[in-house]
Amino acid sequence: MAAESEDLLLIGQKLKATRKELGYSQKRVAEEAGISRLRYQDIEAGRSSARTTTLINIGRAMGLELMFVPQVWVPAVTALLRPDNFVDDTPGLVFTQLDDEEEEEA
């Protein structure tokens, strides 16, 4: 159970850091993700887990995509990412920020 709590805290910390870097409020992210601000606040604080679809929606509200990659690929994926991308040091956990061109094509 301790590892799960640490994972929740880590995800929450990364979401909070990204949100603050973007200058977004918790309310804005929550509304765009389709959840309540209190629900988002609990996820960001690591007090509550989130369904995968909720994490995808939160990420997209901040212009991010949640990607699952095999752990052995993490060094290669990290090396391919541009400096403006957000890279998590946790094996298998990578958030990427889409640039304007990629968003227009999507």
Side-chain angles (χ1 to χ4, degrees):
M1 207 62 167
E4 182 179 333
S5 296
E6 290 174 18
D7 291 340
L8 293 177
L9 285 171
L10 178 64
I11 290 169
Q13 290 168 352
K14 299 302 182 180
L15 290 173
K16 182 177 183 177
T18 301
R19 178 182 59 77
K20 288 188 167 211
E21 183 178 309
L22 293 169
Y24 291 0
S25 67
Q26 287 183 340
K27 181 180 177 184
R28 176 181 176 170
V29 173
E31 285 177 356
E32 290 185 26
I35 60 176
S36 72
R37 186 193 59 78
L38 291 176
R39 174 82 175 110
Y40 178 76
Q41 186 178 34
D42 284 344
I43 294 167
E44 191 177 272
R47 291 187 296 263
S48 177
S49 63
R51 296 173 62 176
T52 305
T53 53
T54 301
L55 286 176
I56 290 169
N57 291 336
I58 289 170
R60 288 182 177 165
M62 292 190 276
L64 305 171
E65 279 298 321
L66 179 65
M67 297 174 53
F68 294 95
V69 298
Q71 290 180 350
V72 297
W73 292 7
V74 171
V77 171
T78 301
L80 291 171
L81 294 173
R82 295 182 305 262
D84 62 331
N85 286 335
F86 175 78
V87 180
D88 188 305
D89 294 334
T90 305
L93 184 63
V94 179
F95 291 93
T96 62
Q97 185 166 8
L98 299 175
D99 62 22
D100 292 337
E101 283 182 27
E102 291 171 326
E103 286 178 7
E104 290 173 9
E105 292 174 10

